[in-house]
Amino acid sequence: DAGITQSPRHKVTETGTPVTLRCHQTENHRYMYWYRQDPGHGLRLIHYSYGVKDTDKGEVSDGYSVSRSKTEDFLLTLESATSSQTSVYFCAIGSNEQFFGPGTRLTVL
Amino acid sequence: RKEVEQDPGPFNVPEGATVAFNCTYSNSASQSFFWYRQDCRKEPKLLMSVYSSGNEDGRFTAQLNRASQYISLLIRDSKLSDSATYLCVVNPWGDKIIFGKGTRLHILP
């Protein structure tokens, strides 16, 4: 399995609070991605990175920001969490084939 | 036409049977195709890539039909452990990877 970890694995927070999810990889891969997965929608791309400090938006980027200061870490921040951001968040690496982390289950009350 | 479309199922199939499902894609310029497997509450995992000539991995066979713009996955001698959701993934050249919403498969004892 690709060396990808996500933290935290589970989080419950309240509306309006900031939340940061971390993705860490040991594969030294250039490309990293954040997805959310919701029933009826499948996997949707939030943001992705193609190198340190190089990031771009995906199809559902509103309300999210990302940072990548090191090759191995890709952070996803919800500046002010809303209930609509309750979801399962997956990090992935790869350019053609992608490999996923174990996911973070986020509940916003 | 949706970018990547799959029958959501569920397909309820007796153990030992053969099951097949298709996935259609809209972008004729798509270059790479994959099948992923996702178990309940787990991350998607790469099952197999789909090549123009088709490919086989044990009980699994994947095929690509560029003329009709679909890929298929055939599972022979199905096992209880094959129960999962199967995601079709299309990688258009120069654009972001697109995930289907998945087909649920239940293998019945």
Side-chain angles (χ1 to χ4, degrees), chain B residues 57-90:
Chain B
D57 182 3
R59 298 181 294 109
F60 298 82
T61 300
Q63 297 206 312
L64 167 64
N65 185 317
R66 284 195 182 273
S68 299
Q69 294 183 212
Y70 73 86
I71 65 172
S72 62
L73 180 67
L74 179 79
I75 306 174
R76 290 181 298 278
D77 188 24
S78 54
K79 312 291 185 192
L80 294 175
S81 57
D82 294 334
S83 295
T85 296
Y86 291 84
L87 307 177
C88 166
V89 180
V90 175

PDB file of all heavy atoms in Angstrom, chain B residues 57-90:
ATOM      1  N   ASP B  57      -6.780 -10.119 -14.901  1.00  0.00           N
ATOM      2  CA  ASP B  57      -6.022 -10.351 -13.671  1.00  0.00           C
ATOM      3  C   ASP B  57      -6.801 -11.368 -12.858  1.00  0.00           C
ATOM      4  O   ASP B  57      -7.764 -11.013 -12.163  1.00  0.00           O
ATOM      5  CB  ASP B  57      -5.844  -9.030 -12.901  1.00  0.00           C
ATOM      6  CG  ASP B  57      -5.017  -9.212 -11.652  1.00  0.00           C
ATOM      7  OD1 ASP B  57      -4.529 -10.335 -11.407  1.00  0.00           O
ATOM      8  OD2 ASP B  57      -4.840  -8.222 -10.914  1.00  0.00           O
ATOM      9  N   GLY B  58      -6.418 -12.607 -12.996  1.00  0.00           N
ATOM     10  CA  GLY B  58      -7.129 -13.671 -12.291  1.00  0.00           C
ATOM     11  C   GLY B  58      -8.564 -13.779 -12.760  1.00  0.00           C
ATOM     12  O   GLY B  58      -8.844 -13.979 -13.939  1.00  0.00           O
ATOM     13  N   ARG B  59      -9.486 -13.582 -11.850  1.00  0.00           N
ATOM     14  CA  ARG B  59     -10.911 -13.711 -12.180  1.00  0.00           C
ATOM     15  C   ARG B  59     -11.488 -12.438 -12.795  1.00  0.00           C
ATOM     16  O   ARG B  59     -12.665 -12.417 -13.161  1.00  0.00           O
ATOM     17  CB  ARG B  59     -11.690 -14.058 -10.908  1.00  0.00           C
ATOM     18  CG  ARG B  59     -11.295 -15.386 -10.288  1.00  0.00           C
ATOM     19  CD  ARG B  59     -12.113 -15.689  -9.047  1.00  0.00           C
ATOM     20  NE  ARG B  59     -11.840 -14.757  -7.949  1.00  0.00           N
ATOM     21  CZ  ARG B  59     -12.688 -13.816  -7.530  1.00  0.00           C
ATOM     22  NH1 ARG B  59     -13.867 -13.676  -8.122  1.00  0.00           N
ATOM     23  NH2 ARG B  59     -12.355 -13.032  -6.519  1.00  0.00           N
ATOM     24  N   PHE B  60     -10.697 -11.408 -12.876  1.00  0.00           N
ATOM     25  CA  PHE B  60     -11.169 -10.098 -13.337  1.00  0.00           C
ATOM     26  C   PHE B  60     -10.669  -9.803 -14.747  1.00  0.00           C
ATOM     27  O   PHE B  60      -9.490  -9.984 -15.035  1.00  0.00           O
ATOM     28  CB  PHE B  60     -10.685  -8.994 -12.383  1.00  0.00           C
ATOM     29  CG  PHE B  60     -11.217  -9.136 -10.989  1.00  0.00           C
ATOM     30  CD1 PHE B  60     -10.617 -10.004 -10.077  1.00  0.00           C
ATOM     31  CD2 PHE B  60     -12.315  -8.408 -10.573  1.00  0.00           C
ATOM     32  CE1 PHE B  60     -11.109 -10.138  -8.792  1.00  0.00           C
ATOM     33  CE2 PHE B  60     -12.806  -8.528  -9.288  1.00  0.00           C
ATOM     34  CZ  PHE B  60     -12.201  -9.407  -8.405  1.00  0.00           C
ATOM     35  N   THR B  61     -11.579  -9.345 -15.585  1.00  0.00           N
ATOM     36  CA  THR B  61     -11.226  -8.936 -16.936  1.00  0.00           C
ATOM     37  C   THR B  61     -11.807  -7.557 -17.195  1.00  0.00           C
ATOM     38  O   THR B  61     -12.991  -7.317 -16.957  1.00  0.00           O
ATOM     39  CB  THR B  61     -11.783  -9.918 -17.980  1.00  0.00           C
ATOM     40  OG1 THR B  61     -11.238 -11.214 -17.744  1.00  0.00           O
ATOM     41  CG2 THR B  61     -11.422  -9.467 -19.389  1.00  0.00           C
ATOM     42  N   ALA B  62     -10.971  -6.670 -17.690  1.00  0.00           N
ATOM     43  CA  ALA B  62     -11.415  -5.318 -18.024  1.00  0.00           C
ATOM     44  C   ALA B  62     -11.238  -5.105 -19.511  1.00  0.00           C
ATOM     45  O   ALA B  62     -10.256  -5.560 -20.104  1.00  0.00           O
ATOM     46  CB  ALA B  62     -10.609  -4.290 -17.241  1.00  0.00           C
ATOM     47  N   GLN B  63     -12.203  -4.411 -20.113  1.00  0.00           N
ATOM     48  CA  GLN B  63     -12.114  -4.140 -21.545  1.00  0.00           C
ATOM     49  C   GLN B  63     -12.517  -2.704 -21.823  1.00  0.00           C
ATOM     50  O   GLN B  63     -13.290  -2.097 -21.087  1.00  0.00           O
ATOM     51  CB  GLN B  63     -13.001  -5.104 -22.314  1.00  0.00           C
ATOM     52  CG  GLN B  63     -12.589  -6.560 -22.159  1.00  0.00           C
ATOM     53  CD  GLN B  63     -13.003  -7.406 -23.334  1.00  0.00           C
ATOM     54  OE1 GLN B  63     -14.144  -7.317 -23.740  1.00  0.00           O
ATOM     55  NE2 GLN B  63     -12.093  -8.212 -23.854  1.00  0.00           N
ATOM     56  N   LEU B  64     -11.974  -2.199 -22.925  1.00  0.00           N
ATOM     57  CA  LEU B  64     -12.248  -0.833 -23.363  1.00  0.00           C
ATOM     58  C   LEU B  64     -12.832  -0.884 -24.765  1.00  0.00           C
ATOM     59  O   LEU B  64     -12.280  -1.555 -25.641  1.00  0.00           O
ATOM     60  CB  LEU B  64     -10.949  -0.010 -23.360  1.00  0.00           C
ATOM     61  CG  LEU B  64     -10.952   1.332 -24.073  1.00  0.00           C
ATOM     62  CD1 LEU B  64     -11.911   2.303 -23.406  1.00  0.00           C
ATOM     63  CD2 LEU B  64      -9.544   1.910 -24.121  1.00  0.00           C
ATOM     64  N   ASN B  65     -13.914  -0.177 -24.965  1.00  0.00           N
ATOM     65  CA  ASN B  65     -14.501  -0.031 -26.293  1.00  0.00           C
ATOM     66  C   ASN B  65     -14.523   1.456 -26.618  1.00  0.00           C
ATOM     67  O   ASN B  65     -15.410   2.195 -26.183  1.00  0.00           O
ATOM     68  CB  ASN B  65     -15.919  -0.610 -26.320  1.00  0.00           C
ATOM     69  CG  ASN B  65     -16.528  -0.601 -27.709  1.00  0.00           C
ATOM     70  OD1 ASN B  65     -16.402   0.374 -28.446  1.00  0.00           O
ATOM     71  ND2 ASN B  65     -17.182  -1.681 -28.072  1.00  0.00           N
ATOM     72  N   ARG B  66     -13.519   1.892 -27.368  1.00  0.00           N
ATOM     73  CA  ARG B  66     -13.398   3.330 -27.666  1.00  0.00           C
ATOM     74  C   ARG B  66     -14.506   3.804 -28.606  1.00  0.00           C
ATOM     75  O   ARG B  66     -14.973   4.929 -28.502  1.00  0.00           O
ATOM     76  CB  ARG B  66     -12.041   3.628 -28.288  1.00  0.00           C
ATOM     77  CG  ARG B  66     -10.903   3.628 -27.295  1.00  0.00           C
ATOM     78  CD  ARG B  66      -9.664   4.279 -27.891  1.00  0.00           C
ATOM     79  NE  ARG B  66      -8.549   4.254 -26.978  1.00  0.00           N
ATOM     80  CZ  ARG B  66      -8.313   5.187 -26.058  1.00  0.00           C
ATOM     81  NH1 ARG B  66      -9.154   6.206 -25.943  1.00  0.00           N
ATOM     82  NH2 ARG B  66      -7.253   5.097 -25.268  1.00  0.00           N
ATOM     83  N   ALA B  67     -14.902   2.951 -29.527  1.00  0.00           N
ATOM     84  CA  ALA B  67     -15.921   3.360 -30.503  1.00  0.00           C
ATOM     85  C   ALA B  67     -17.233   3.703 -29.819  1.00  0.00           C
ATOM     86  O   ALA B  67     -17.901   4.684 -30.158  1.00  0.00           O
ATOM     87  CB  ALA B  67     -16.121   2.254 -31.530  1.00  0.00           C
ATOM     88  N   SER B  68     -17.594   2.912 -28.835  1.00  0.00           N
ATOM     89  CA  SER B  68     -18.851   3.137 -28.114  1.00  0.00           C
ATOM     90  C   SER B  68     -18.639   3.856 -26.792  1.00  0.00           C
ATOM     91  O   SER B  68     -19.592   4.120 -26.067  1.00  0.00           O
ATOM     92  CB  SER B  68     -19.549   1.797 -27.860  1.00  0.00           C
ATOM     93  OG  SER B  68     -19.854   1.151 -29.077  1.00  0.00           O
ATOM     94  N   GLN B  69     -17.394   4.159 -26.485  1.00  0.00           N
ATOM     95  CA  GLN B  69     -17.031   4.929 -25.287  1.00  0.00           C
ATOM     96  C   GLN B  69     -17.540   4.280 -24.006  1.00  0.00           C
ATOM     97  O   GLN B  69     -18.286   4.897 -23.235  1.00  0.00           O
ATOM     98  CB  GLN B  69     -17.490   6.396 -25.413  1.00  0.00           C
ATOM     99  CG  GLN B  69     -16.745   7.126 -26.520  1.00  0.00           C
ATOM    100  CD  GLN B  69     -17.110   8.596 -26.644  1.00  0.00           C
ATOM    101  OE1 GLN B  69     -17.087   9.164 -27.730  1.00  0.00           O
ATOM    102  NE2 GLN B  69     -17.463   9.216 -25.555  1.00  0.00           N
ATOM    103  N   TYR B  70     -17.129   3.049 -23.810  1.00  0.00           N
ATOM    104  CA  TYR B  70     -17.418   2.428 -22.526  1.00  0.00           C
ATOM    105  C   TYR B  70     -16.281   1.496 -22.142  1.00  0.00           C
ATOM    106  O   TYR B  70     -15.524   1.023 -22.981  1.00  0.00           O
ATOM    107  CB  TYR B  70     -18.774   1.698 -22.524  1.00  0.00           C
ATOM    108  CG  TYR B  70     -18.825   0.406 -23.289  1.00  0.00           C
ATOM    109  CD1 TYR B  70     -18.453  -0.801 -22.683  1.00  0.00           C
ATOM    110  CD2 TYR B  70     -19.281   0.367 -24.600  1.00  0.00           C
ATOM    111  CE1 TYR B  70     -18.525  -1.991 -23.375  1.00  0.00           C
ATOM    112  CE2 TYR B  70     -19.355  -0.823 -25.299  1.00  0.00           C
ATOM    113  CZ  TYR B  70     -18.973  -1.992 -24.682  1.00  0.00           C
ATOM    114  OH  TYR B  70     -19.044  -3.177 -25.370  1.00  0.00           O
ATOM    115  N   ILE B  71     -16.197   1.253 -20.835  1.00  0.00           N
ATOM    116  CA  ILE B  71     -15.305   0.228 -20.325  1.00  0.00           C
ATOM    117  C   ILE B  71     -16.146  -0.768 -19.540  1.00  0.00           C
ATOM    118  O   ILE B  71     -17.262  -0.441 -19.092  1.00  0.00           O
ATOM    119  CB  ILE B  71     -14.164   0.792 -19.446  1.00  0.00           C
ATOM    120  CG1 ILE B  71     -14.706   1.423 -18.166  1.00  0.00           C
ATOM    121  CG2 ILE B  71     -13.344   1.809 -20.217  1.00  0.00           C
ATOM    122  CD1 ILE B  71     -13.598   1.817 -17.184  1.00  0.00           C
ATOM    123  N   SER B  72     -15.636  -1.966 -19.421  1.00  0.00           N
ATOM    124  CA  SER B  72     -16.399  -3.008 -18.744  1.00  0.00           C
ATOM    125  C   SER B  72     -15.502  -3.745 -17.759  1.00  0.00           C
ATOM    126  O   SER B  72     -14.274  -3.752 -17.880  1.00  0.00           O
ATOM    127  CB  SER B  72     -16.983  -3.992 -19.758  1.00  0.00           C
ATOM    128  OG  SER B  72     -15.947  -4.650 -20.467  1.00  0.00           O
ATOM    129  N   LEU B  73     -16.146  -4.334 -16.789  1.00  0.00           N
ATOM    130  CA  LEU B  73     -15.464  -5.180 -15.810  1.00  0.00           C
ATOM    131  C   LEU B  73     -16.246  -6.470 -15.678  1.00  0.00           C
ATOM    132  O   LEU B  73     -17.456  -6.443 -15.442  1.00  0.00           O
ATOM    133  CB  LEU B  73     -15.366  -4.488 -14.449  1.00  0.00           C
ATOM    134  CG  LEU B  73     -14.677  -5.288 -13.345  1.00  0.00           C
ATOM    135  CD1 LEU B  73     -13.198  -5.466 -13.661  1.00  0.00           C
ATOM    136  CD2 LEU B  73     -14.842  -4.608 -11.985  1.00  0.00           C
ATOM    137  N   LEU B  74     -15.553  -7.578 -15.857  1.00  0.00           N
ATOM    138  CA  LEU B  74     -16.157  -8.905 -15.745  1.00  0.00           C
ATOM    139  C   LEU B  74     -15.511  -9.618 -14.566  1.00  0.00           C
ATOM    140  O   LEU B  74     -14.280  -9.650 -14.465  1.00  0.00           O
ATOM    141  CB  LEU B  74     -15.925  -9.695 -17.035  1.00  0.00           C
ATOM    142  CG  LEU B  74     -16.461 -11.116 -17.085  1.00  0.00           C
ATOM    143  CD1 LEU B  74     -17.957 -11.106 -17.358  1.00  0.00           C
ATOM    144  CD2 LEU B  74     -15.747 -11.947 -18.135  1.00  0.00           C
ATOM    145  N   ILE B  75     -16.329 -10.167 -13.708  1.00  0.00           N
ATOM    146  CA  ILE B  75     -15.832 -10.942 -12.568  1.00  0.00           C
ATOM    147  C   ILE B  75     -16.364 -12.360 -12.707  1.00  0.00           C
ATOM    148  O   ILE B  75     -17.585 -12.578 -12.727  1.00  0.00           O
ATOM    149  CB  ILE B  75     -16.288 -10.346 -11.216  1.00  0.00           C
ATOM    150  CG1 ILE B  75     -15.906  -8.870 -11.112  1.00  0.00           C
ATOM    151  CG2 ILE B  75     -15.682 -11.143 -10.064  1.00  0.00           C
ATOM    152  CD1 ILE B  75     -16.450  -8.183  -9.870  1.00  0.00           C
ATOM    153  N   ARG B  76     -15.452 -13.299 -12.817  1.00  0.00           N
ATOM    154  CA  ARG B  76     -15.842 -14.714 -12.933  1.00  0.00           C
ATOM    155  C   ARG B  76     -15.741 -15.398 -11.583  1.00  0.00           C
ATOM    156  O   ARG B  76     -14.965 -14.976 -10.718  1.00  0.00           O
ATOM    157  CB  ARG B  76     -14.911 -15.428 -13.919  1.00  0.00           C
ATOM    158  CG  ARG B  76     -15.092 -15.034 -15.366  1.00  0.00           C
ATOM    159  CD  ARG B  76     -14.125 -15.830 -16.251  1.00  0.00           C
ATOM    160  NE  ARG B  76     -12.746 -15.555 -15.918  1.00  0.00           N
ATOM    161  CZ  ARG B  76     -12.079 -14.497 -16.363  1.00  0.00           C
ATOM    162  NH1 ARG B  76     -12.671 -13.644 -17.177  1.00  0.00           N
ATOM    163  NH2 ARG B  76     -10.819 -14.303 -16.013  1.00  0.00           N
ATOM    164  N   ASP B  77     -16.526 -16.461 -11.422  1.00  0.00           N
ATOM    165  CA  ASP B  77     -16.473 -17.263 -10.193  1.00  0.00           C
ATOM    166  C   ASP B  77     -16.480 -16.343  -8.958  1.00  0.00           C
ATOM    167  O   ASP B  77     -15.568 -16.375  -8.122  1.00  0.00           O
ATOM    168  CB  ASP B  77     -15.207 -18.128 -10.200  1.00  0.00           C
ATOM    169  CG  ASP B  77     -15.172 -19.122  -9.052  1.00  0.00           C
ATOM    170  OD1 ASP B  77     -16.246 -19.476  -8.525  1.00  0.00           O
ATOM    171  OD2 ASP B  77     -14.049 -19.513  -8.648  1.00  0.00           O
ATOM    172  N   SER B  78     -17.504 -15.540  -8.860  1.00  0.00           N
ATOM    173  CA  SER B  78     -17.538 -14.500  -7.827  1.00  0.00           C
ATOM    174  C   SER B  78     -17.475 -15.090  -6.412  1.00  0.00           C
ATOM    175  O   SER B  78     -18.016 -16.171  -6.133  1.00  0.00           O
ATOM    176  CB  SER B  78     -18.790 -13.640  -7.997  1.00  0.00           C
ATOM    177  OG  SER B  78     -19.956 -14.451  -8.016  1.00  0.00           O
ATOM    178  N   LYS B  79     -16.798 -14.360  -5.551  1.00  0.00           N
ATOM    179  CA  LYS B  79     -16.604 -14.742  -4.148  1.00  0.00           C
ATOM    180  C   LYS B  79     -17.357 -13.771  -3.255  1.00  0.00           C
ATOM    181  O   LYS B  79     -17.596 -12.626  -3.628  1.00  0.00           O
ATOM    182  CB  LYS B  79     -15.114 -14.689  -3.784  1.00  0.00           C
ATOM    183  CG  LYS B  79     -14.184 -15.379  -4.754  1.00  0.00           C
ATOM    184  CD  LYS B  79     -14.334 -16.859  -4.732  1.00  0.00           C
ATOM    185  CE  LYS B  79     -13.299 -17.536  -5.629  1.00  0.00           C
ATOM    186  NZ  LYS B  79     -13.615 -18.982  -5.827  1.00  0.00           N
ATOM    187  N   LEU B  80     -17.649 -14.216  -2.052  1.00  0.00           N
ATOM    188  CA  LEU B  80     -18.309 -13.318  -1.095  1.00  0.00           C
ATOM    189  C   LEU B  80     -17.480 -12.057  -0.884  1.00  0.00           C
ATOM    190  O   LEU B  80     -18.021 -10.960  -0.714  1.00  0.00           O
ATOM    191  CB  LEU B  80     -18.539 -14.031   0.240  1.00  0.00           C
ATOM    192  CG  LEU B  80     -19.509 -15.198   0.223  1.00  0.00           C
ATOM    193  CD1 LEU B  80     -19.537 -15.873   1.601  1.00  0.00           C
ATOM    194  CD2 LEU B  80     -20.904 -14.750  -0.173  1.00  0.00           C
ATOM    195  N   SER B  81     -16.167 -12.215  -0.925  1.00  0.00           N
ATOM    196  CA  SER B  81     -15.264 -11.082  -0.692  1.00  0.00           C
ATOM    197  C   SER B  81     -15.262 -10.069  -1.841  1.00  0.00           C
ATOM    198  O   SER B  81     -14.665  -8.993  -1.700  1.00  0.00           O
ATOM    199  CB  SER B  81     -13.839 -11.583  -0.462  1.00  0.00           C
ATOM    200  OG  SER B  81     -13.414 -12.361  -1.566  1.00  0.00           O
ATOM    201  N   ASP B  82     -15.908 -10.408  -2.938  1.00  0.00           N
ATOM    202  CA  ASP B  82     -16.011  -9.454  -4.048  1.00  0.00           C
ATOM    203  C   ASP B  82     -17.085  -8.401  -3.791  1.00  0.00           C
ATOM    204  O   ASP B  82     -17.195  -7.421  -4.533  1.00  0.00           O
ATOM    205  CB  ASP B  82     -16.335 -10.169  -5.362  1.00  0.00           C
ATOM    206  CG  ASP B  82     -15.219 -11.083  -5.832  1.00  0.00           C
ATOM    207  OD1 ASP B  82     -14.044 -10.820  -5.475  1.00  0.00           O
ATOM    208  OD2 ASP B  82     -15.514 -12.065  -6.543  1.00  0.00           O
ATOM    209  N   SER B  83     -17.888  -8.593  -2.777  1.00  0.00           N
ATOM    210  CA  SER B  83     -18.937  -7.609  -2.445  1.00  0.00           C
ATOM    211  C   SER B  83     -18.284  -6.277  -2.119  1.00  0.00           C
ATOM    212  O   SER B  83     -17.446  -6.176  -1.215  1.00  0.00           O
ATOM    213  CB  SER B  83     -19.756  -8.083  -1.243  1.00  0.00           C
ATOM    214  OG  SER B  83     -20.470  -9.258  -1.555  1.00  0.00           O
ATOM    215  N   ALA B  84     -18.651  -5.259  -2.871  1.00  0.00           N
ATOM    216  CA  ALA B  84     -18.033  -3.939  -2.724  1.00  0.00           C
ATOM    217  C   ALA B  84     -18.724  -3.000  -3.719  1.00  0.00           C
ATOM    218  O   ALA B  84     -19.621  -3.402  -4.462  1.00  0.00           O
ATOM    219  CB  ALA B  84     -16.537  -3.994  -3.020  1.00  0.00           C
ATOM    220  N   THR B  85     -18.261  -1.777  -3.722  1.00  0.00           N
ATOM    221  CA  THR B  85     -18.660  -0.833  -4.758  1.00  0.00           C
ATOM    222  C   THR B  85     -17.514  -0.678  -5.731  1.00  0.00           C
ATOM    223  O   THR B  85     -16.358  -0.517  -5.307  1.00  0.00           O
ATOM    224  CB  THR B  85     -19.034   0.538  -4.151  1.00  0.00           C
ATOM    225  OG1 THR B  85     -20.177   0.378  -3.314  1.00  0.00           O
ATOM    226  CG2 THR B  85     -19.374   1.538  -5.253  1.00  0.00           C
ATOM    227  N   TYR B  86     -17.809  -0.745  -7.016  1.00  0.00           N
ATOM    228  CA  TYR B  86     -16.783  -0.668  -8.049  1.00  0.00           C
ATOM    229  C   TYR B  86     -16.905   0.675  -8.766  1.00  0.00           C
ATOM    230  O   TYR B  86     -17.958   1.006  -9.318  1.00  0.00           O
ATOM    231  CB  TYR B  86     -16.918  -1.844  -9.012  1.00  0.00           C
ATOM    232  CG  TYR B  86     -16.540  -3.138  -8.337  1.00  0.00           C
ATOM    233  CD1 TYR B  86     -17.465  -3.832  -7.566  1.00  0.00           C
ATOM    234  CD2 TYR B  86     -15.234  -3.631  -8.412  1.00  0.00           C
ATOM    235  CE1 TYR B  86     -17.112  -4.994  -6.895  1.00  0.00           C
ATOM    236  CE2 TYR B  86     -14.869  -4.797  -7.747  1.00  0.00           C
ATOM    237  CZ  TYR B  86     -15.816  -5.457  -6.983  1.00  0.00           C
ATOM    238  OH  TYR B  86     -15.461  -6.601  -6.309  1.00  0.00           O
ATOM    239  N   LEU B  87     -15.812   1.415  -8.732  1.00  0.00           N
ATOM    240  CA  LEU B  87     -15.782   2.758  -9.306  1.00  0.00           C
ATOM    241  C   LEU B  87     -15.058   2.743 -10.643  1.00  0.00           C
ATOM    242  O   LEU B  87     -13.944   2.215 -10.749  1.00  0.00           O
ATOM    243  CB  LEU B  87     -15.053   3.734  -8.375  1.00  0.00           C
ATOM    244  CG  LEU B  87     -15.530   3.819  -6.930  1.00  0.00           C
ATOM    245  CD1 LEU B  87     -14.638   4.788  -6.148  1.00  0.00           C
ATOM    246  CD2 LEU B  87     -16.961   4.288  -6.885  1.00  0.00           C
ATOM    247  N   CYS B  88     -15.686   3.334 -11.608  1.00  0.00           N
ATOM    248  CA  CYS B  88     -15.075   3.521 -12.920  1.00  0.00           C
ATOM    249  C   CYS B  88     -14.358   4.870 -12.909  1.00  0.00           C
ATOM    250  O   CYS B  88     -14.909   5.869 -12.416  1.00  0.00           O
ATOM    251  CB  CYS B  88     -16.182   3.506 -13.958  1.00  0.00           C
ATOM    252  SG  CYS B  88     -15.753   4.096 -15.585  1.00  0.00           S
ATOM    253  N   VAL B  89     -13.146   4.917 -13.422  1.00  0.00           N
ATOM    254  CA  VAL B  89     -12.361   6.151 -13.393  1.00  0.00           C
ATOM    255  C   VAL B  89     -11.808   6.425 -14.780  1.00  0.00           C
ATOM    256  O   VAL B  89     -11.237   5.533 -15.414  1.00  0.00           O
ATOM    257  CB  VAL B  89     -11.211   6.039 -12.372  1.00  0.00           C
ATOM    258  CG1 VAL B  89     -10.403   7.319 -12.343  1.00  0.00           C
ATOM    259  CG2 VAL B  89     -11.771   5.721 -10.993  1.00  0.00           C
ATOM    260  N   VAL B  90     -11.975   7.660 -15.212  1.00  0.00           N
ATOM    261  CA  VAL B  90     -11.528   8.063 -16.546  1.00  0.00           C
ATOM    262  C   VAL B  90     -10.586   9.242 -16.403  1.00  0.00           C
ATOM    263  O   VAL B  90     -10.871  10.188 -15.655  1.00  0.00           O
ATOM    264  CB  VAL B  90     -12.747   8.455 -17.416  1.00  0.00           C
ATOM    265  CG1 VAL B  90     -12.311   8.987 -18.772  1.00  0.00           C
ATOM    266  CG2 VAL B  90     -13.672   7.259 -17.581  1.00  0.00           C
TER     267      VAL B  90
END
